[in-house]
C-alpha cells in the first residue's frame, strides 16, 4: 500500500468487542475466545463489506471461517477442535495430535514437512500451532483495500526457532476473494528444508447437497493414496448424508490454467500484493455444488506450489479439502530419495501465496469451469 491516506492499527490499539469502521462498509473486530480447556485466544474478524473472514492469532494466523454475503463458505467444524497450541501434543502421531486441534478453514501445513511424520518431525509440521507475535500484528487500510499482517516464530522441535513466518492477508473492498501470502525465513546459518502448503476447507453449506471438484488434471492422473478403497468418480462430492470413510486422498500435478491472470479478481490481487511476475504460471481448483450455482475456488502460482492433494471424508463432519503444496505428502526420507526436497539457504526465505474466492454468479462459474477443465490433459 503506497496510498498517503494509509491508516495503521496495532493489536494493543484495538478495543476488544468494538468494531473498527473501515471504508465502504468494511470493519475489523478483535474478540477473545476460550477453548474447551479454558485457554484464551485472540480472534480477528475482518470484513471487506462483502467477504468476511476470521484469523486465529495463536494458531499461526490460520483463517478460521469465511463468509460471503452472510453465507458461510467454509466448513462447519465443531468448536471443540479449536484448541490453544498448549493443549495439543503434535508428537502424538498414533492418535493424530495435529488433527486433535484442527479447526481452521485455511490451516498452514509445514514449514518443516507436508505429510508423513518421522523421528523428528510431526505430521504436517508445526506452523498451524505457532502463536503470532502480538506486537507484530498490524491492520493497515486505505481507500482500496485492507491488509492484515503479522510475524509467527515457528514452534519447531528445539529450544530455538529454526523458521519464522511473515504473513499478509489482503482484501479489496467489495471483493469476493482474498489474498494470503506466507514468507518463511530460515533463521539459521545452514540450509533448511521448506515443505509447506495449506489445508483449505471451502465446502460450506452450499455443498451439502453434493457437487464436484473442478481440477486442472485428468482423473486418470490422480493417484489414490494409502490403499483406500477406490471410488467410481474421484471428482465426486457426496451429499452431507452420505458416509465416506476411510478418508480418500488423491495426489496429482496440476496443469497450467491459461487466462487466469486476466481475470479482474486475480489480476488486482497479484498487482496489489506485488506478486504475479511476468511469466508466472497460475493454476486453479474449484468446488461446485450440484445446482452449478455456487462455487469456491483457490488460485495459486505453480512456482510456489507445483503439486496438489485433495482430501475427502464425510463421517462426523463434511470434509472436502484442497491442499496446494510443494511436494508429495511422503516422509522427508522418501522425499530426499526422490530428489523432491526444496531448501532455503542460510538466512534465506521462501514466499508462497494463494487467492481464495467464492461466487454465486452462474456465468462466472461456467467460465472458470471451462478454463480449469481445458487444462486437464
Amino acid at each position: 500500500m503506497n496510498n498517503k491516506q494509509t491508516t495503521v492499527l496495532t493489536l494493543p490499539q484495538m478495543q476488544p468487542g468494538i468494531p473498527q469502521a473501515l471504508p465502504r462498509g468494511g470493519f475489523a473486530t478483535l474478540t477473545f475466545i476460550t477453548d474447551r480447556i479454558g485457554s484464551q485466544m485472540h480472534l480477528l474478524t475482518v470484513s471487506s463489506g462483502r467477504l468476511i473472514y476470521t484469523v486465529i492469532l495463536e494458531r499461526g494466523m490460520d483463517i478460521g471461517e469465511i463468509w460471503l454475503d452472510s453465507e458461510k463458505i467454509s466448513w462447519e467444524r465443531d468448536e471443540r477442535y479449536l484448541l490453544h497450541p498448549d493443549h495439543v501434543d503434535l508428537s502424538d502421531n498414533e492418535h493424530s495430535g495435529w488433527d486433535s486441534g484442527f479447526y481452521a478453514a485455511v490451516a498452514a501445513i509445514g514449514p518443516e514437512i507436508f505429510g508423513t511424520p518421522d523421528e523428528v518431525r510431526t505430521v504436517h509440521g508445526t506452523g498451524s500451532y505457532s502463536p503470532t507475535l502480538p506486537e507484530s500484528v498490524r491492520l493497515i487500510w486505505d481507500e482500496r483495500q485492507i491488509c492484515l499482517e503479522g510475524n509467527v516464530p515457528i514452534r519447531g522441535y528445539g529450544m530455538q526457532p529454526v523458521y519464522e513466518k511473515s504473513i499478509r492477508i489482503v482484501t479489496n473492498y467489495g471483493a469476493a476473494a482474498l489474498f494470503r501470502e506466507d514468507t518463511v525465513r530460515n533463521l539459521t546459518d545452514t540450509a533448511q528444508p521448506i515443505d509447506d502448503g495449506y489445508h483449505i476447507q471451502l465446502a460450506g453449506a452450499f455443498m451439502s447437497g453434493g457437487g464436484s471438484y473442478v481440477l486442472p488434471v485428468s482423473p486418470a492422473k490422480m493417484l489414490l493414496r494409502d490403499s483406500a478403497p477406490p471410488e467410481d468418480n474421484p471428482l465426486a462430492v457426496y451429499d452431507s448424508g452420505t458416509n465416506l470413510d476411510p478418508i480418500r486422498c488423491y495426489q496429482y500435478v496440476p496443469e497450467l490454467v491459461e487466462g487466469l491472470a486476466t481475470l479482474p479478481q486475480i489480476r488486482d490481487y497479484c498487482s496489489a500484493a506485488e506478486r504475479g511476475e511476468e511469466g508466472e504460471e497460475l493454476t486453479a481448483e474449484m468446488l461446485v455444488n450440484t445446482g452449478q450455482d455456487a462455487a469456491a475456488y483457490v488460485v495459486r502460482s505453480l512456482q510456489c506450489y507445483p503439486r496438489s492433494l485433495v482430501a475427502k471424508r464425510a463421517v462426523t463432519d463434511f470434509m472436502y479439502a484442497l491442499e496446494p503444496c510443494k511436494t508429495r505428502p511422503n516422509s522427508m526420507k522418501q522425499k530426499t530419495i526422490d530428489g523432491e526436497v526444496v531448501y532455503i539457504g542460510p538466512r534465506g526465505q521462501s514466499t508462497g501465496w494463494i487467492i481464495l474466492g467464492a461466487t454465486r454468479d452462474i456465468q462466472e462459474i461456467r467460465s472458470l469451469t471451462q478454463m480449469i477443465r481445458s487444462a486437464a490433459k
Side-chain angles (χ1 to χ4, degrees):
M1 291 184 177
N2 298 316
N3 193 309
K4 293 182 180 180
Q5 300 302 313
T6 294
T7 304
V8 179
L9 193 66
T10 64
L11 190 63
Q13 293 172 324
M14 299 180 189
Q15 299 183 53
I18 301 177
Q20 170 65 53
L22 303 175
R24 299 173 59 181
F27 66 84
T29 308
L30 170 66
T31 55
F32 293 108
I33 53 176
T34 303
D35 71 10
R36 59 185 169 85
I37 301 177
S39 291
Q40 193 176 76
M41 291 179 282
H42 296 74
L43 185 77
L44 278 169
T45 301
V46 179
S47 170
S48 71
R50 188 177 183 197
L51 192 79
I52 302 173
Y53 64 92
T54 64
V55 175
I56 310 164
L57 296 188
E58 279 73 16
R59 295 290 301 273
M61 293 188 69
D62 278 357
I63 297 175
E65 297 177 305
I66 308 171
W67 293 264
L68 178 65
D69 297 329
S70 301
E71 179 180 15
K72 190 174 179 182
I73 64 171
S74 56
W75 69 338
E76 291 290 344
R77 184 65 158 165
D78 193 312
E79 288 192 359
R80 66 191 172 92
Y81 290 99
L82 180 55
L83 293 175
H84 191 284
D86 288 349
H87 305 310
V88 179
D89 181 5
L90 294 178
S91 65
D92 185 11
N93 293 313
E94 182 179 352
H95 299 96
S96 191
W98 197 91
D99 189 62
S100 69
F102 175 36
Y103 171 82
V106 181
I109 297 181
E112 306 95 336
I113 191 163
F114 184 97
T116 308
D118 55 27
E119 293 80 4
V120 176
R121 302 167 185 86
T122 62
V123 63
H124 293 329
T126 67
S128 186
Y129 292 89
S130 300
T132 310
L133 292 173
E135 64 271 21
S136 72
V137 177
R138 301 197 309 165
L139 186 71
I140 309 166
W141 70 89
D142 57 20
E143 293 300 318
R144 183 187 178 199
Q145 62 184 209
I146 312 159
C147 177
L148 177 64
E149 62 181 30
N151 296 333
V152 181
I154 301 302
R155 173 175 170 177
Y157 312 107
M159 296 298 293
Q160 297 296 324
V162 173
Y163 307 91
E164 181 183 63
K165 269 191 179 185
S166 293
I167 298 169
R168 296 195 302 152
I169 305 173
V170 179
T171 320
N172 291 343
Y173 296 114
L178 63 82
F179 175 103
R180 175 171 171 136
E181 178 186 74
D182 289 40
T183 298
V184 182
R185 281 186 285 273
N186 176 4
L187 301 178
T188 75
D189 292 321
T190 58
Q192 299 291 340
I194 171 72
D195 197 26
D196 59 347
Y198 304 93
H199 186 111
I200 302 169
Q201 297 283 5
L202 297 180
F206 72 96
M207 294 294 297
S208 62
S212 64
Y213 283 93
V214 180
L215 305 178
V217 66
S218 165
K221 295 182 179 180
M222 297 171 63
L223 176 63
L224 179 62
R225 292 181 51 84
D226 304 323
S227 301
E231 301 174 89
D232 291 336
N233 180 11
L235 300 179
V237 175
Y238 306 100
D239 65 72
S240 58
T242 300
N243 183 287
L244 184 66
D245 189 40
I247 190 171
R248 293 350 189 255
C249 293
Y250 296 90
Q251 67 180 47
Y252 56 92
V253 179
E255 300 288 349
L256 164 70
V257 177
E258 299 282 358
L260 285 173
T262 66
L263 300 178
Q265 69 269 40
I266 308 304
R267 181 183 63 245
D268 290 349
Y269 276 120
C270 289
S271 174
E274 300 176 357
R275 301 296 301 170
E277 295 89 344
E278 185 176 353
E280 191 165 25
E281 297 182 337
L282 305 182
T283 195
E285 291 134 326
M286 187 162 64
L287 288 163
V288 181
N289 69 348
T290 301
Q292 300 285 301
D293 61 358
Y297 59 86
V298 178
V299 175
R300 92 295 190 139
S301 160
L302 286 169
Q303 280 77 5
C304 298
Y305 303 113
R307 289 188 176 272
S308 288
L309 194 78
V310 295
K312 306 163 64 171
R313 183 184 66 206
V315 188
T316 58
D317 51 22
F318 185 67
M319 186 185 84
Y320 289 88
L322 296 164
E323 299 188 16
C325 50
K326 281 187 170 63
T327 65
R328 292 176 293 175
N330 298 326
S331 68
M332 188 57 68
K333 179 180 179 180
Q334 187 62 52
K335 295 181 197 219
T336 303
I337 293 171
D338 295 338
E340 286 192 340
V341 183
V342 179
Y343 289 91
I344 308 178
R347 306 291 170 177
Q349 65 183 42
S350 172
T351 298
W353 61 268
I354 52 174
I355 295 171
L356 307 181
T359 179
R360 277 197 169 271
D361 184 312
I362 294 175
Q363 186 55 49
E364 183 179 7
I365 293 170
R366 288 175 179 169
S367 178
L368 277 170
T369 298
Q370 183 177 7
M371 292 173 68
I372 296 170
R373 285 182 175 164
S374 294
K377 299 175 182 178

